[in-house]
Amino acid sequence: MPASLLMMLATLLFAAMSVCVKYASAHYGTGEIVFYRGLIGALSMAALLHRRGDSVRTPVPAMHFWRSASGVTALSLWFYSIAGLPLATAMTLNYMSSVWMALFLIGGAIMLGGVRTDGRLIATVLVGFIGVALILRPTMERDQLWYGLMGLLSGLLSAVAYLQVTALGRAGEPEPRVVFYFSVGGMAAGLLTALPTGGFTAHTDAFAALMLLAVGGFATAAQLLMTRAYATGRPLVNASLQYLGIVYSFVFGALLFDDPITPMALGGMALVVAAGIAATQLRNRAAPRDAVQSTLET
């Protein structure tokens, strides 16, 4: 299957996962959803590692710990924002990670001193944040502002996690092992979050329980498709197609949840997508070749 088609299917599955998160969040807490998503991912990746003859043992446990800490926190905040925001809005805020990474690159250049900062990269960051302002202002009620801030923070932490995935790739860690420890971290975070707030909810609602299982199933399948796409396709094309997830989420939100999307918000989404694609292209020119691995996990 061509890498472009793999990427389109992966983004569709991630959007479907976000739909299931929104349905499941009406019955389960965020910590519970993160736990079950991690459980399914850990079991799937352990089976994949076993099939490939690889072990779950790692020579760099500390790197996995910090990668899981940032990635799981980002995931939890994203799931939390999905519960309280229009689906496309929550997806767009999380996809700001490419713009945040560009901002990190600019900050690094300034801290090094004497290193010229690409003006085009600065422009992409500004365009991205203008897009966020257009999205947040017209689509969010006062009681949704907190969810919006959490969604924006999830994109920031996702960018940090992507950089740590790059470092793990340089250390020689296989992608399934990275995803395995990320999933184990999700299980731990889910337990720590759910237990102090009353424990786990009984599975009395069959539809909600099905949505809970679907979150982990869709996420794991999407990760495998995306990994294959990045292994065989062109990174910039894949990164661009990844933003189809916003389009899918817009359609799902309008059809399933009657999400209100204004023309100004649509314009903001378009700016975020354009800024993300441009930032990815400019960043790939400035970063080492193995940095493309940083977009394999979402």
Side-chain angles (χ1 to χ4, degrees), residues 1-193:
M1 191 180 293
S4 57
L5 184 56
L6 288 170
M7 198 66 194
M8 292 170 68
L9 288 174
T11 55
L12 177 60
L13 290 178
F14 275 126
M17 180 203 73
S18 67
V19 171
C20 297
V21 169
K22 200 168 184 69
Y23 277 125
S25 62
H27 192 76
Y28 299 100
T30 300
E32 295 175 88
I33 299 174
V34 171
F35 172 81
Y36 285 109
R37 183 253 180 272
L39 176 63
I40 295 173
L43 293 175
S44 301
M45 291 303 104
L48 180 59
L49 285 167
H50 178 73
R51 181 180 178 182
R52 292 174 48 168
D54 291 330
S55 171
V56 297
R57 295 183 62 181
T58 175
V60 286
M63 293 180 68
H64 282 287
F65 172 80
W66 291 113
R67 181 268 174 278
S68 295
S70 58
V72 169
T73 304
L75 182 74
S76 301
L77 292 175
W78 184 35
F79 283 5
Y80 178 78
S81 68
I82 287 175
L85 292 176
L87 203 58
T89 301
M91 184 73 80
T92 305
L93 293 176
N94 183 260
Y95 276 28
M96 274 287 291
S97 56
S98 290
V99 178
W100 285 116
M101 291 179 74
L103 187 62
F104 293 162
L105 196 61
I106 294 171
I110 294 174
M111 289 179 64
L112 288 174
V115 179
R116 182 176 176 273
T117 302
D118 193 331
R120 295 171 298 176
L121 203 57
I122 297 175
T124 62
V125 173
L126 293 176
V127 169
F129 280 104
I130 291 173
V132 168
L134 291 176
I135 292 168
L136 297 187
R137 184 176 180 183
T139 62
M140 301 181 68
E141 302 295 336
R142 184 181 299 273
D143 59 347
Q144 292 181 321
L145 181 59
W146 177 252
Y147 291 101
L149 293 176
M150 294 302 101
L152 197 60
L153 184 57
S154 76
L156 171 62
L157 291 175
S158 292
V160 175
Y162 294 158
L163 295 175
Q164 291 168 332
V165 171
T166 300
L168 284 164
R170 292 175 183 171
E173 289 292 271
E175 179 66 17
R177 190 183 294 159
V178 176
V179 179
F180 171 79
Y181 281 106
F182 168 74
S183 300
V184 170
M187 292 173 59
L191 281 173
L192 291 174
T193 305

Side-chain angles (χ1 to χ4, degrees), residues 14-15 18 87-89 91 244-254 259:
F14 275 126
S18 67
L87 203 58
T89 301
M91 184 73 80
L244 281 173
I246 295 175
V247 179
Y248 295 143
S249 296
F250 170 74
V251 174
F252 286 148
D259 285 344

